[in-house]
Amino acid sequence: MASGSDRNPIIIGGLPSQVPDFDPEETQEWLDSLDAAVDERGRERARYLMLRLIERAREKRVAVPEMRSTDYVNTIATKDEPFFPGNEEIERKVLNATRWNAAVMVSRAQRPGIGVGGHIATFASSASLYDVGFNHFFRGKDDGKGGDQIFFQGHASPGVYARAYLLDRLSSDQLDAFRQEKSKAPNGLSSYPHPRLMPDFWEFPTVSMGLGPLGAIYQARMNRYMEARGIADTSDSHVWAFLGDGEMDEPESLGQLSIAAREGLDNLTFVVNCNLQRLDGPVRGNGKIMQELESQFRGAGWNVIKLVWDRSWDPLLAQDRDGVLVNKLNTTPDGQFQTYATETGAYIREHFFGSDHRLRKMVENMTDDQILHLGRGGHDHKKIFAAYAAAKAHKGQPTVILAQTVKGWTLGPNFEGRNATHQMKKLTVDDLKMFRDRLRLPIPDKDLEDGVPPYYHPGRDSEEIQYMHDRRKENGGYVPTRVVRAKPLQLPGDKAYATAKKGSGQQKIATTMAFVRVLKDLMRDKEIGKRFVPIAPDEYRTFGMDAFFPTSKIYNPLGQIYESVDRELLLAYKESPTGQMLHDGITEAGCTASLIAAGSAYATHGEPLIPVYVFYSMFGFQRTGDQFWQMADQLARGFVLGATAGRTTLTGEGLQHADGHSQLLASTNPACVAYDPAFGYEIAHIVKDGLRRMYGENSEDIFYYLTVYNEPIVHPAEPEDVDVEGILAGIHKVANGSAGSIPAQIMASGVAVPWALEAQQILAEEWNVKADVWSATSWNELRREAVEAEEHNLLHPEEEQRVPYVTRKLSGAEGPFVAVSDWMRSVPDQIARWVPGTYQSLGADGFGFADTRGAARRFFHIDAQSIVLGVLTELAKEGKIDRSALKQAIDRYQLLDVTAAEAGEAGGDA
């Protein structure tokens, strides 16, 4: 065989073979030894020897590349398992009672007249994984700190409820109100983990699959961030995420693994319940999902612990001198293992062990029943304990535990491992009897035959229940529990907003910069300044926030161990272990996860943070809308800035960046308070009120969305008679018509307000129209208030009928009313029915495109001249002007020719 120096200089499997061989004779001796091992003892023995050499090399700190995957056996050898401190017999009884109540709760929810269903099989497979955590690892909040943060797999919620019932945290009436949140109020239990629906129980919503693992990673990172900045002691907090192997197909589940490894988040453990099944069938029928996941996690830099087989396999593996059993395990696909879970011991003997005489010999003294009960590691308390203990002890890396289970475990042959088990919700009488017998519960047959099956509780004074209480007391209290200990913040006064209220003088600035100025002043506040968490997806310079770099710095747990290329500049890029800014890279999903973790810190750790997430508006509600829903569900608070907003304002970027609809998408989120301000003083009042509502007395579970623009304009100073109530409610007048005799009203939002003011001047000078201009700071809030008024009137006809705010505000104004914005018409059309007069809207419907701002606005007919035409059109409909004026206006302003429009304001932050 050729020595290393004679072979081609390539890299094979990560091993550099082009390195010069300084001792070919010694090399040849090693190679000859390997050849001899293969020839005399076989490939499996040679493989074993190589693995032991790699193990020893690592012990001696010799750099050897990581293997992508290992044998299909447990990572932790039996000899290395720690002492199990629990009482396994008692824990078995506890778990059996929990299993029963979880399944019965779902079955009862499917009874005639209710039929709301639920999921049984997921918890049945993962019950032991949770039970070991509850008994020995999950930290509660009784010490006044945050405890552990546990992201429970959504479909396993019945098991968490069932355990809470045994601990008297939930009643049987509440279990019977599963998925009946309104009809059985106040006892209703949410179908999945929903903090908004059960704010004292659940902490993290997880059933939108993929968002749990993403949120867990950034929660672990936020814990480190808070400790590094001296805001909270999170050193004892560990983040656990319980996931399904099918869930790992979601891009969000695996997309951010690298950040956890890069930042050494050893306070994070993923537990992937590998029951080998998706909702409708096998995850990887022809492959091996555990091996695939192991490769992905190892490649991303995670510590991987595989928990494949329970202790009944230990004697067989100890006999496997030739590696034939391990080879069989390695080569059997998941679809076949799923089949073994549904077959008899005789079938397994023939089809798994029967292919090789050495395998047959291993089980010749075992009965078919013993073979049938060769189990999966995710059901073995001692093996699970060993894996969890190893994960907690591991330093420098996050850990993933890949635990193999059987979906529907213990539920009987009609459920276990069946493709349809996820959709099966009801147990027959025969199913219940088999299930009861397997769990060894003292429930008589007649109780199962008389209609609805009963819940089982061994009694408050029983040994099992006392054991459960003792274990939770030892671990710091009951989980899951959501506690809000945070006190209201001392908020800054008017001085912090003075700069924005002065206007910009002769200088033109974008509303993005107006907001950044407000934020900069707030971050200087001695009371709350340190609580702001700026977040951006690699666009701080775009938003003019590079001015924050020298003072606030960018958070990096390693600091900055390189010399920055721009270190000599005033606004040099600076990283620090105590940095305040989160610079998450090009990942809106990651940034939104940071936003949620920071925005819920007031509950998670009892310390409020004020996240300010700034992003290209097109990549907010459209791209990560599911996470904003998750944010609302998690009761997170903070500011979300859709910068570079508008369909025509960011014209150079084209279709993919042109946002004309995020305000409409924001309106679908009940927790989102959305504004589209035009001027700096409006922003000041909105931000001030947002801080009051989210962080002051009687704080609300809402978050704020502000769309701001990159088009420079002159910002007026705040008027002496500023209508603060109108700004916050959604509409206020910014300019009375000063000339003309024919009245009209123009309502505009955001960047369209200057167009409206220009149109006001043209109408007065050229058409004798006296138009008032209104700034509609929030079409969404106006609609929301009006809907609430109508709902009240619908249900309280005997009371004085409420009049929507927008109707009251405009009641003295003489129309027609023309609304305009840089959004599609559906945004201002939200308030059409409540406007007291003829109403017309102008908007940027359709796709955006790259061109000058003037050309784009002329194309969509939302520029000042088009607004003039819109007002004239409505006046003509009312008979207040002659219709011939309309053709005159079209011709005069060349409204059908986009090239006739002035280019408009050039420049901006993008």
Side-chain angles (χ1 to χ4, degrees):
M1 177 178 257
S3 67
S5 60
D6 297 326
R7 287 182 286 162
N8 293 328
I10 58 175
I11 294 180
I12 302 174
L15 300 172
S17 60
Q18 80 277 17
V19 176
D21 189 346
F22 296 107
D23 193 343
E25 292 183 7
E26 182 184 31
T27 304
Q28 193 61 50
E29 290 176 8
W30 281 88
L31 295 175
D32 290 343
S33 297
L34 177 61
D35 291 344
V38 173
D39 294 339
E40 297 174 18
R41 302 295 300 276
R43 290 187 177 88
E44 288 301 323
R45 176 60 180 169
R47 181 178 184 274
Y48 175 79
L49 292 172
M50 290 298 297
L51 292 174
R52 289 303 304 271
L53 283 172
I54 291 172
E55 181 182 37
R56 179 56 57 87
R58 289 180 182 151
E59 290 173 0
K60 297 292 185 180
R61 299 184 182 277
V62 176
V64 178
E66 286 279 345
M67 291 180 294
R68 287 193 297 269
S69 65
T70 58
D71 286 329
Y72 203 60
V73 294
N74 297 340
T75 301
I76 301 173
T78 305
K79 65 180 180 61
D80 295 327
E81 292 173 7
F83 170 74
F84 178 69
N87 185 318
E88 200 166 6
E89 178 61 23
I90 293 179
E91 291 189 17
R92 182 189 61 77
K93 292 180 179 179
V94 167
L95 185 56
N96 287 350
T98 306
R99 286 182 180 280
W100 175 267
N101 290 328
V104 164
M105 179 182 72
V106 174
S107 189
R108 288 165 71 108
Q110 197 63 11
R111 63 192 182 275
I114 303 296
V116 294
H119 299 285
I120 301 176
T122 294
F123 176 72
S125 66
S126 57
S128 295
L129 298 172
Y130 287 114
D131 207 50
V132 173
F134 278 122
N135 288 331
H136 302 286
F137 290 94
F138 300 159
R139 296 291 305 168
K141 299 174 181 284
D142 285 357
D143 61 359
K145 297 182 181 180
D148 284 356
Q149 288 79 56
I150 308 159
F151 290 71
F152 292 93
Q153 192 179 358
H155 291 114
S157 63
V160 182
Y161 292 142
R163 194 173 215 277
Y165 165 70
L166 293 175
L167 289 167
D168 282 339
R169 299 185 65 209
L170 297 176
S171 67
S172 58
D173 287 340
Q174 287 175 291
L175 295 195
D176 271 346
F178 177 58
R179 292 191 168 195
Q180 300 153 75
E181 297 170 53
K182 300 300 182 185
S183 61
K184 295 289 180 66
N187 291 323
L189 297 183
S190 62
S191 50
Y192 304 121
H194 288 302
R196 181 167 288 276
L197 301 174
M198 295 178 66
D200 299 324
F201 193 86
W202 296 113
E203 283 196 281
F204 306 105
T206 53
V207 85
S208 190
M209 285 191 253
L211 298 191
L214 181 67
I217 289 172
Y218 282 86
Q219 181 63 58
R221 181 172 181 248
M222 185 57 61
N223 289 358
R224 290 286 169 81
Y225 171 89
M226 294 182 72
E227 184 158 19
R229 298 198 53 237
I231 292 174
D233 179 5
T234 61
S235 56
D236 290 334
S237 290
H238 198 83
V239 179
W240 302 83
F242 286 83
L243 320 164
D245 48 359
E247 181 178 4
M248 306 313 287
D249 284 342
E250 287 285 3
E252 297 88 349
S253 297
L254 298 172
Q256 291 297 303
L257 297 184
S258 60
I259 189 175
R262 189 167 65 243
E263 300 200 4
L265 297 180
D266 50 24
N267 60 339
L268 171 66
T269 298
F270 277 16
V271 181
V272 184
N273 175 24
C274 297
N275 57 33
L276 314 184
Q277 289 186 241
R278 293 189 182 127
L279 307 185
D280 288 327
V283 179
R284 296 288 186 273
N286 292 325
K288 298 180 81 65
I289 185 61
M290 290 184 75
Q291 304 299 83
E292 180 182 319
L293 291 175
E294 180 183 23
S295 297
Q296 291 172 318
F297 278 93
R298 282 189 187 279
W302 285 53
N303 175 45
V304 179
I305 298 174
K306 284 198 302 195
L307 177 54
V308 193
W309 309 114
D310 74 6
R311 70 193 75 173
S312 64
W313 286 86
D314 290 347
L316 297 180
L317 289 166
Q319 300 175 46
D320 190 29
R321 296 182 180 276
D322 298 326
V324 63
L325 177 56
V326 170
N327 181 64
K328 184 68 174 178
L329 296 172
N330 287 340
T331 56
T332 302
D334 283 355
Q336 193 61 46
F337 276 124
Q338 185 184 347
T339 298
Y340 291 144
T342 67
E343 287 292 347
T344 64
Y347 179 95
I348 299 170
R349 183 190 298 275
E350 178 184 352
H351 290 85
F352 183 82
F353 292 102
S355 60
D356 189 291
H357 73 280
R358 292 167 292 181
L359 292 175
R360 293 195 297 271
K361 186 171 180 58
M362 283 184 187
V363 295
E364 64 182 0
N365 295 322
M366 294 178 67
T367 66
D368 287 349
D369 188 63
Q370 288 174 319
I371 291 176
L372 178 64
H373 289 95
L374 288 169
R376 314 291 168 93
H379 303 308
D380 187 324
H381 276 211
K382 287 185 177 180
K383 301 284 188 184
I384 296 168
F385 181 89
Y388 286 5
K392 286 291 296 287
H394 189 78
K395 299 301 178 187
Q397 290 175 293
T399 294
V400 60
I401 296 169
L402 305 174
Q404 186 174 180
T405 65
V406 175
K407 195 164 187 177
W409 182 244
T410 72
L411 291 174
N414 293 329
F415 282 80
E416 289 180 350
R418 302 292 175 181
N419 281 338
T421 190
H422 187 78
Q423 283 75 29
M424 297 166 70
K425 308 174 187 303
K426 191 166 180 64
L427 294 156
T428 67
V429 172
D430 288 340
D431 290 333
L432 287 166
K433 289 179 179 179
M434 282 189 287
F435 187 32
R436 173 208 57 193
D437 292 343
R438 188 163 181 180
L439 300 179
R440 292 179 276 177
L441 297 177
I443 301 172
D445 282 355
K446 65 179 182 62
D447 289 354
L448 304 179
E449 296 167 351
D450 291 344
V452 231
Y455 297 116
Y456 173 72
H457 198 297
R460 288 187 174 89
D461 298 326
S462 66
E463 184 181 35
E464 302 97 287
I465 301 304
Q466 290 307 308
Y467 182 88
M468 294 175 74
H469 284 296
D470 289 345
R471 297 311 306 143
R472 289 317 313 154
K473 184 177 180 181
E474 178 71 20
N475 284 288
Y478 300 103
V479 291
T481 299
R482 184 177 180 275
V483 181
V484 179
R485 296 192 179 99
K487 296 179 181 178
L489 296 179
Q490 184 176 332
L491 301 177
D494 291 338
K495 185 178 179 181
Y497 308 96
T499 301
K501 293 180 180 181
K502 288 179 182 177
S504 63
Q506 298 303 309
Q507 181 187 12
K508 289 184 176 183
I509 65 169
T511 47
T512 300
M513 289 307 302
F515 175 84
V516 169
R517 290 181 177 183
V518 171
L519 177 60
K520 193 169 186 178
D521 288 341
L522 288 171
M523 289 176 65
R524 290 171 176 161
D525 184 80
K526 293 181 180 180
E527 295 296 330
I528 69 167
K530 70 175 184 179
R531 296 186 181 274
F532 281 92
V533 184
I535 304 166
D538 203 26
E539 292 279 9
Y540 277 123
R541 295 186 192 278
T542 298
F543 308 133
M545 297 178 72
D546 47 344
F548 292 29
F549 289 165
T551 53
S552 300
K553 299 183 180 63
I554 296 158
Y555 171 71
N556 187 323
L558 299 177
Q560 188 164 315
I561 58 178
Y562 61 92
E563 286 189 324
S564 174
V565 68
D566 60 0
R567 62 190 179 280
E568 302 298 332
L569 300 180
L570 180 63
L571 304 182
Y573 192 89
K574 291 189 178 180
E575 299 180 80
S576 168
T578 59
Q580 189 167 1
M581 306 170 75
L582 293 181
H583 204 352
D584 284 346
I586 305 175
T587 165
E588 285 83 7
C591 290
T592 312
S594 286
L595 164 73
I596 296 169
S600 52
Y602 74 94
T604 309
H605 293 292
E607 291 288 349
L609 294 177
I610 309 172
V612 180
Y613 173 30
V614 192
F615 55 87
Y616 264 74
S617 62
M618 185 66 163
F619 306 128
F621 272 88
Q622 172 171 298
R623 190 156 188 168
T624 57
D626 197 11
Q627 284 179 279
F628 286 121
W629 196 265
Q630 180 190 25
M631 181 178 185
D633 198 355
Q634 197 164 314
L635 312 179
R637 304 164 184 171
F639 291 95
V640 177
L641 271 291
T644 62
R647 185 143 283 162
T648 69
T649 304
L650 192 65
T651 50
E653 300 286 350
L655 184 154
Q656 292 89 346
H657 289 65
D659 175 18
H661 54 283
S662 71
Q663 280 284 343
L664 194 64
L665 296 175
S667 73
T668 65
N669 192 312
C672 178
V673 181
Y675 286 94
D676 188 33
F679 302 127
Y681 71 85
E682 293 176 338
I683 292 173
H685 285 291
I686 291 166
V687 171
K688 181 180 179 182
D689 197 56
L691 288 172
R692 176 191 66 81
R693 291 181 66 183
M694 293 187 289
Y695 298 96
E697 299 287 346
N698 304 312
S699 55
E700 301 173 54
D701 297 318
I702 55 178
F703 67 95
Y704 270 55
Y705 178 52
L706 278 68
T707 45
V708 289
Y709 300 81
N710 76 324
E711 181 169 350
I713 63 170
V714 172
H715 290 249
E718 177 180 284
E720 290 186 6
D721 60 345
V722 61
D723 180 6
V724 177
E725 179 189 66
I727 290 173
L728 300 180
I731 189 168
H732 70 113
K733 188 184 291 186
V734 293
N736 288 309
S738 58
S741 61
I742 306 172
Q745 309 295 321
I746 304 173
M747 296 180 290
S749 70
V751 76
V753 172
W755 317 338
L757 292 170
E758 183 183 351
Q760 178 189 51
Q761 184 178 354
I762 296 172
L763 285 164
E765 294 175 355
E766 301 181 22
W767 302 97
N768 191 34
V769 174
K770 184 179 182 180
D772 297 334
V773 175
W774 302 76
S775 174
T777 52
S778 181
W779 310 102
N780 295 5
E781 286 301 292
L782 290 174
R783 178 189 182 277
R784 181 171 289 167
E785 189 275 342
V787 168
E788 290 173 357
E790 285 199 347
E791 176 78 2
H792 176 271
N793 295 341
L794 177 69
L795 300 176
H796 302 88
E798 75 287 355
E799 297 181 11
E800 181 180 354
Q801 298 293 278
R802 294 180 183 175
V803 179
Y805 182 86
V806 65
T807 307
R808 286 184 278 120
K809 195 70 173 177
L810 300 176
S811 61
E814 189 173 350
F817 297 84
V818 174
V820 62
S821 73
D822 208 9
W823 307 101
M824 58 195 303
R825 294 184 184 194
S826 301
V827 175
D829 281 353
Q830 292 179 93
I831 66 167
R833 62 180 294 176
W834 299 289
V835 174
T838 305
Y839 184 83
Q840 177 61 276
S841 65
L842 305 175
D845 287 72
F847 290 111
F849 52 88
D851 212 313
T852 64
R853 288 170 175 155
R857 288 160 188 169
R858 179 59 53 87
F859 175 83
F860 286 117
H861 301 301
I862 55 176
D863 59 358
Q865 292 75 17
S866 298
I867 296 171
V868 169
L869 177 62
V871 172
L872 296 177
T873 299
E874 295 308 310
L875 288 171
K877 287 180 182 177
E878 294 184 355
K880 295 178 180 179
I881 64 170
D882 192 274
R883 289 191 61 83
S884 62
L886 306 183
K887 184 66 166 60
Q888 293 176 34
I890 292 171
D891 293 340
R892 182 182 302 179
Y893 305 126
Q894 297 177 272
L895 294 181
L896 301 180
D897 182 4
V898 297
T899 65
E902 294 183 4
E905 182 69 50
D909 303 316

